[in-house]
């Protein structure tokens, strides 16, 4: 703010000095001109009167000849003063107005209000660089989950979009290049409440620059970066980027998960979804021969994962030399004869994975005409084509922005969630299905809330004070309704982390210890009521033994000193 | 030599000398204090103030503050002169005006002292 004031003052120097000088000359001249009062006596204007006259003349107000009619000499000087003072006056006003419209001043105003907004954040927040398709999805989801976000984006149009959207909490945003370390500093990279940075621009180099800059400025800050090239990813890794997100490998990974463990996949989708959304319907890819159209980064990842699952694949690629494909059928895949050549009639599934939406749609439509039973996986590149894809209704639609946003959410909601998902992936399908049915019983068919809690002195003073008094606190106690101990809250403990030990789906009678970290999943009401049990010793001890304890200085003293 | 520095120093010193010229003399004798000198002092002081705008350094801030003090006192003196001239004894009016300008003079002296201090500490 200070710098803006100085900027204004500095620019206003010349106009103000011009005004002062012209006034001075005009006022002096006015006092020197001889005149006459109505009685014919010699009269000269005093300095004050002259200043008064010049003031109303220069501002073009014009009260006339005050206090007496002027002599010809005075009128002559007045004529000169009018042209002499009015022009600098307008020059000064014009300068003020042009200053108000000055782009650099406007930018200075916006930047300073942005950094003030960031400095005033009192709760943990994430910095999202790049508000494209992925960024907007992620920001919307984080906002719905009640987390604070700061957005940095290069293009003004996208910032306008962000401002038009309806968000729960204010989102400080800045239209600036996130590659500039200064921008990142303003966005709060060194802010004590900053929880992490997500570099989600569509430019790998920009993401790399952001990741490097953040790691140099604040090495402890988690960085999630999107990278589509392997070299960029390797470079990011060497700088200690915490999570590198490649949408293509991720999708391949997910597809493989869908093939061999649908339950685990669903669990993943569910826990990283936006609360309130409905559950994605499960689609189980069939086993057999698959056609893959387009052997780019996406196609390669799909082929690799399908082959690992023991499926045979047939690749259709328009430019085999560019993509480095050894064994394939040359063609775009949109023509019936190429599909026939690849053996579409005896295939069980087709993957349309080129980087052109219209081609992809055309491929799967042709293929389905030939073989209506095909399982269709289609890659969506542009978000604005969404209605076309909805209409087509493929078995699986791969949306890179959606995948990246989900992956970011998994890491941002809590580090525990990412840990849980990793462990869950190692479990078998049956385990996942069981957990899903348990969750459905509790929260119904919509995406549940997922949250973490740490039994620390700041987050759970109530639990710790009971533990200090050697009271046994079990996990089951935290799952009760604080207003009625008979009733269970709608939540499921997913993970308990104690030191290096990780307990997946901890049993209800687990004894809690200080510094345990817990991951829960369940209804929003349960999430809201849990802090009461964690913080309030009285509520928790009521849950444990059903007795309301008399808690006050006098009562405690009496209990300790008087028997019964 | 830097023309900007010349102009800057000129106005600051001029503000002080004019102020001093108006102030010097018997405090209650209107003959010793000319209205045009006060007028010139005000104008030069205003210009000096504007020249000090936009300097972000600590010393720049003090510079600006001293000038604002001098402006305030000199303008107050001019207002007193306009309001009381004719209504009270001339010697009483001029006493008030000159004492106000004396206050402004101190501020101007501080301003010049700062200018000198700044110049002396400047090494090259």
């Amino acid at each position: 703010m200070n710098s803006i004031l100085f900027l204004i003052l500095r620019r206003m120097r010349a106009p103000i000095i011009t005004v002062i000088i012209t006034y001075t000359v005009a006022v002096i001249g006015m006092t020197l001109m001889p005149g006459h009062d109505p009685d014919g006596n010699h009269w000269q204007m005093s300095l004050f009167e002259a200043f008064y006259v010049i003031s109303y003349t220069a501002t073009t107000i014009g009260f006339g000849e005050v206090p007496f009619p002027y002599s010809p000499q005075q009128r002559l000087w007045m004529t000169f003063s009018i042209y002499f003072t009015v022009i600098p006056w307008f020059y000064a006003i014009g300068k003020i107005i042009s200053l108000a419209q000055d782009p650099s001043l406007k930018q200075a105003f916006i930047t300073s209000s942005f950094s003030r907004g960031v400095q005033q954040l009192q709760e943990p927040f994430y910095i999202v660089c790049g508000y494209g398709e992925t960024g907007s999805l992620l920001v919307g989801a984080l906002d719905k989950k009640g987390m604070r976000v700061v957005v940095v984006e290069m293009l003004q149009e996208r910032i306008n979009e962000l401002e038009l959207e309806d968000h729960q909490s204010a989102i400080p945003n800045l239209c600036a290049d996130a590659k500039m370390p200064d921008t990142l500093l303003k966005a709060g990279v060194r802010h004590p409440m900053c929880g992490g940075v997500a570099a989600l621009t569509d430019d790998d180099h920009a993401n790399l620059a952001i990741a490097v800059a953040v790691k140099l400025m604040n090495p402890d800050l988690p960085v999630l970066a999107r990278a589509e090239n392997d070299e960029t990813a390797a470079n990011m890794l060497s700088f200690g980027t915490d999570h590198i997100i490649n949408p293509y490998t991720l999708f391949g990974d997910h597809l493989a998960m869908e093939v061999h463990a649908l339950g685990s996949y669903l669990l993943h989708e569910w826990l990283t979804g936006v609360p309130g959304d409905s559950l994605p319907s499960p689609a189980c890819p069939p086993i057999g021969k698959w056609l893959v159209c387009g052997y780019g980064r996406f196609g390669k990842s799909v082929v690799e994962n399908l082959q690992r699952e023991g499926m045979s694949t047939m690749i259709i690629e328009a430019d085999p030399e560019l993509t480095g494909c050894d064994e394939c059928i040359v063609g775009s895949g949109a023509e019936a004869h190429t599909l026939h050549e690849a053996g579409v009639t005896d295939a069980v599934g087709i993957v349309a994975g080129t980087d052109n939406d219209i081609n992809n749609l055309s491929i799967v439509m042709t293929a389905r005409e030939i073989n209506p039973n095909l399982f269709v996986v289609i890659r969506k590149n542009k978000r604005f084509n969404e209605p076309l894809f909805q209409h087509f209704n493929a078995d699986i639609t791969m949306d890179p922005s959606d995948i990246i946003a989900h992956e970011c959410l998994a890491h941002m909601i809590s580090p525990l969630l990412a840990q849980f998902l990793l462990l869950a992936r190692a479990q078998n399908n049956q385990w996942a299905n069981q957990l899903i049915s348990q969750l459905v019983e509790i929260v119904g068919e919509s995406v549940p809330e997922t949250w973490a809690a740490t039994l620390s002195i700041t987050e759970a003073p109530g639990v710790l004070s009971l533990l200090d008094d050697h009271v046994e606190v079990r996990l089951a106690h935290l799952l009760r309704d604080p207003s009625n101990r008979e009733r269970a809250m709608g939540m499921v403990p997913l993970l308990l982390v104690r030191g290096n030990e990780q307990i997946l789906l901890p049993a209800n009678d687990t004894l809690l210890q200080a510094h345990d970290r817990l991951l829960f999943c369940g209804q929003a009401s349960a999430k809201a009521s849990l802090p009461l049990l964690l913080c309030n010793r009285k509520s928790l001890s009521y849950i444990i033994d059903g007795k309301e304890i008399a808690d006050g200085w006098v009562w405690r003293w009496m209990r300790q000193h008087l028997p019964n | 030599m830097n023309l900007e520095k010349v102009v800057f120093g000129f106005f600051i010193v001029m503000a002080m000398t004019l102020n001093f010229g108006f102030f010097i003399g018997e405090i209650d004798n209107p003959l010793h204090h000319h209205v045009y000198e006060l007028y010139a002092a005000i104008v030069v002081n205003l210009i000096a103030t504007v020249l000090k705008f936009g300097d972000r350094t600590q010393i720049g801030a003090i510079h600006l503050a001293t000038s604002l003090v001098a402006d305030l006192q000199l303008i107050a003196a001019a207002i007193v002169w306009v309001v009381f001239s004719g209504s009270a004894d001339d010697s009483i009016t001029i006493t008030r005006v000159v004492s106000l300008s004396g206050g402004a003079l101190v501020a101007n002296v501080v301003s010049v002292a700062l200018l000198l201090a700044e110049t002396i500490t400047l090494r090259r």
Side-chain angles (χ1 to χ4, degrees), chain A residues 219-448:
Chain A
D220 297 332
L221 205 62
V223 178
L224 294 104
R226 167 181 176 172
E228 292 179 10
N229 289 317
D230 291 341
E231 305 99 75
T232 320
N235 211 338
M236 282 177 179
L237 202 61
S238 68
F239 265 94
T241 306
D242 300 80
H243 304 289
I244 297 158
I245 300 166
N246 183 336
Y248 305 111
T249 42
L250 262 180
F251 179 75
D253 211 34
H254 285 189
L255 191 66
M257 203 158 47
E258 275 187 87
V259 172
H260 81 162
L262 190 60
S264 315
Y265 171 74
L266 269 183
L267 200 60
H268 186 274
E269 284 292 291
W270 217 25
L271 294 180
T272 57
V274 180
D277 281 5
S278 58
L279 265 176
S281 57
C284 191
I287 292 168
K289 176 180 165 189
W290 282 71
L291 302 188
V292 179
C293 304
Y295 194 62
R297 286 168 298 191
F298 174 73
K300 284 189 183 103
S301 155
V302 168
V303 168
E304 188 188 315
N305 281 288
L306 286 176
Q307 281 175 347
R308 203 172 55 217
E309 295 302 324
M311 315 229 191
S312 65
T313 50
M314 182 62 83
I315 301 160
I316 302 173
E317 167 60 50
D319 192 349
E321 274 167 30
L322 186 77
T323 50
C325 175
D326 308 327
E327 255 181 83
C328 67
I329 289 158
V330 181
S332 74
E335 316 89 355
H337 68 90
T338 347
L339 288 172
H340 273 298
E341 199 183 330
V344 70
T345 39
D346 60 346
V348 292
I350 184 162
V351 179
T354 69
D355 55 5
N356 183 320
D357 281 345
I358 303 304
N359 274 356
N360 287 346
L361 284 166
S362 148
I363 289 167
V364 292
M365 273 151 100
T366 320
R368 263 213 180 146
E369 253 168 48
I370 303 169
N371 183 351
N373 301 324
L374 275 179
F375 186 92
V376 172
V377 177
I378 189 164
R379 166 178 168 188
K380 180 168 82 184
N381 297 290
K382 297 274 178 258
R383 205 164 183 77
F384 57 76
N385 282 329
E386 173 87 36
L388 299 181
F389 286 89
Q390 260 174 7
H391 192 74
F392 181 73
N393 197 13
D395 295 290
I396 300 175
T397 306
M398 183 272 183
D399 181 350
S401 8
D402 203 51
I403 288 176
I404 300 170
H406 271 265
E407 189 65 17
C408 287
L409 274 180
H411 292 291
M412 284 177 168
I413 292 168
S414 160
L416 283 187
L417 181 57
Q419 221 170 326
F420 171 78
L421 291 173
L422 206 65
L423 288 173
R425 213 174 276 191
Q427 301 293 321
N428 61 24
N429 205 17
Q430 205 185 348
W431 177 88
N433 283 336
Q434 238 168 12
L435 180 58
I436 288 181
S437 61
Q438 197 184 347
L439 287 177
V440 167
E441 227 170 80
I442 287 174
V443 293
E445 297 271 321
S446 62
V447 173

Side-chain angles (χ1 to χ4, degrees), chain A residues 3 6 9-10 13 16-17 20-21 23-24 27-28 31 47-48, chain B residues 4 35-36 39 43 46-47 50-56 64 82:
Chain A
S3 65
F6 279 118
L9 287 179
R10 194 173 271 274
R13 265 188 199 174
I16 292 177
I17 288 184
I20 292 175
I21 290 173
Y23 268 48
T24 312
V27 169
I28 293 269
T31 60
L47 272 172
F48 173 63
Chain B
E4 201 190 330
V35 64
Y36 278 107
Y39 178 68
V43 170
L46 283 177
I47 293 177
V50 176
L51 285 176
K52 289 169 180 178
F53 280 175
D55 189 346
R56 293 190 201 190
L64 186 57
V82 170

Side-chain angles (χ1 to χ4, degrees), chain A residues 96-271:
Chain A
I96 291 172
I97 292 171
S98 73
L99 196 61
Q101 291 168 335
D102 189 75
S104 64
L105 187 72
K106 266 192 195 163
Q107 190 57 41
F109 264 115
I110 292 170
T111 311
S112 86
S113 80
F114 169 75
S115 51
R116 216 165 343 115
V118 172
Q119 288 308 318
Q120 281 167 359
L121 285 176
Q122 300 285 330
E123 42 200 323
F125 66 95
Y126 283 99
I127 301 170
V128 175
C129 304
Y131 190 77
E133 293 175 2
T134 318
S136 61
L137 262 178
L138 180 65
V139 168
L142 285 172
D143 184 63
K144 269 195 190 165
K145 283 189 178 279
M147 297 164 97
R148 300 298 300 262
V149 197
V150 170
V151 173
V152 179
E153 162 64 51
M154 269 252 271
L155 298 177
Q156 184 61 46
E157 303 116 66
R158 292 186 182 159
I159 290 285
N160 295 347
E161 248 171 64
L162 169 68
E163 280 169 351
L164 284 177
E165 256 163 63
D166 197 20
H167 292 293
Q168 284 180 5
S169 39
I171 296 179
N173 57 69
L174 183 66
C175 179
D177 190 350
K179 291 196 293 281
M180 303 287 165
D182 192 41
T183 311
L184 288 170
L185 281 178
K186 285 202 185 90
V189 165
R190 290 218 181 110
H191 193 293
M193 281 297 179
C194 185
V197 179
L200 301 177
T201 68
D202 50 7
D203 175 7
D204 266 19
H205 279 285
N207 291 341
L208 176 66
I210 294 166
V212 169
V214 173
K215 275 295 163 195
L216 286 176
M217 286 192 282
N218 190 351
D220 297 332
L221 205 62
V223 178
L224 294 104
R226 167 181 176 172
E228 292 179 10
N229 289 317
D230 291 341
E231 305 99 75
T232 320
N235 211 338
M236 282 177 179
L237 202 61
S238 68
F239 265 94
T241 306
D242 300 80
H243 304 289
I244 297 158
I245 300 166
N246 183 336
Y248 305 111
T249 42
L250 262 180
F251 179 75
D253 211 34
H254 285 189
L255 191 66
M257 203 158 47
E258 275 187 87
V259 172
H260 81 162
L262 190 60
S264 315
Y265 171 74
L266 269 183
L267 200 60
H268 186 274
E269 284 292 291
W270 217 25
L271 294 180

